[in-house]
Amino acid sequence: MPLPHIAIVGRPNVGKSSLFNRLAGSRVSIVDPTPGVTRDRVSRMIVVPPPAELEDAGPRFAELVDTGGFGVYVAEGGRYDDAGRDLSELTDDIEHQIENATRDADLVLFVVDAQAGPTALDEKIAGMLRKRGRTDQIMVIANKVDGESWEAHALEFAAMGLGDVVMTSAKAGYRRREFMEQ
Ligand code: GDP
């Protein structure tokens, strides 16, 4: 049976690689504080613990794919990021990446940054995901909820209309158990 396929999408610098590394259990993806750091799509098998009520069920496995930051482009040896570029210029590239990421995924983790709050690029990605339908297969992950004080900020993302917002902190591990159970 093929492994369930989980894709991580989101604009640069929201913590996709950090989340990937935490889920994959080792540092395999590049984490960089600079928005738009180029990285290849990385894929890894992960163990998903069973929910508390199914403790006897044993571990389950999934393939996790980090697609890299949207807004990062490599063309003819050059590197471009979304800093200073018009959003409309990015649309085709982003759309292409969303399509790649979501085509085969059973679950899409749409990662956003609770500390930064919703940005125009988040809205753009949310719009594209809504347009693709299958919104029940999309989970909005508000990352960087390092403690309780960030929870209210995370809830702002509920307005994107992609369902409940699941909070976590890839760095601090806050709400990690709830996140894994979800
Ligand atoms: P990506 O571009 O979406 O893959 O983001 P990265 O994983 O490279 O992270 C971007 C920056 O956010 C790095 O400086 C990380 O250390 C930081 N970061 C990632 N997760 C968290 C988190 O949960 N809390 C905080 N405070 N910072 C985080």
Side-chain angles (χ1 to χ4, degrees):
M1 203 177 77
L3 286 178
H5 186 143
I6 303 174
I8 301 182
V9 305
R11 66 174 180 81
N13 221 36
V14 293
K16 294 182 301 300
S17 301
S18 305
L19 204 60
F20 181 95
N21 290 336
R22 212 171 233 275
L23 289 168
S26 62
R27 191 166 282 260
V28 288
S29 204
I30 301 164
V31 178
D32 197 287
T34 319
V37 164
T38 306
R39 61 182 74 90
D40 291 323
R41 175 185 154 120
V42 219
S43 149
R44 184 156 183 152
M45 190 170 88
I46 61 160
V47 181
V48 184
E53 68 273 18
L54 290 176
E55 235 167 69
D56 297 337
R60 292 164 299 167
F61 300 92
E63 187 191 349
L64 185 69
V65 181
D66 177 7
T67 56
F70 291 119
V72 182
Y73 316 103
V74 179
E76 292 163 3
R79 202 190 97 191
Y80 307 87
D81 64 35
D82 60 353
R85 288 182 73 194
D86 192 275
L87 260 188
S88 59
E89 279 182 51
L90 298 175
T91 306
D92 285 351
D93 299 294
I94 295 170
E95 217 152 16
H96 184 65
Q97 293 225 33
I98 296 251
E99 208 172 291
N100 279 343
T102 57
R103 195 183 306 128
D104 309 315
D106 299 291
L107 177 67
V108 176
L109 304 182
F110 173 28
V111 184
V112 293
D113 180 339
Q115 297 194 7
T119 69
L121 199 46
D122 292 327
E123 299 287 353
K124 195 118 202 159
I125 294 169
M128 289 174 187
L129 288 170
R130 279 196 302 268
K131 212 169 74 188
R132 288 184 63 80
R134 299 168 67 198
T135 46
D136 55 322
Q137 286 169 312
I138 295 162
M139 198 185 270
V140 180
I141 309 295
N143 187 40
K144 306 197 188 180
V145 180
D146 295 344
E148 203 181 331
S149 60
W150 292 108
E151 290 191 5
H153 295 260
L155 294 175
E156 285 179 41
F157 290 94
M160 290 191 306
L162 286 167
D164 291 345
V165 175
V166 179
M167 304 177 208
T168 196
S169 166
K171 219 167 171 179
Y174 186 70
R175 282 182 168 274
R176 178 173 157 76
R177 199 162 57 93
E178 291 95 327
F179 166 64
M180 290 304 290
E181 285 191 0
Q182 289 283 333

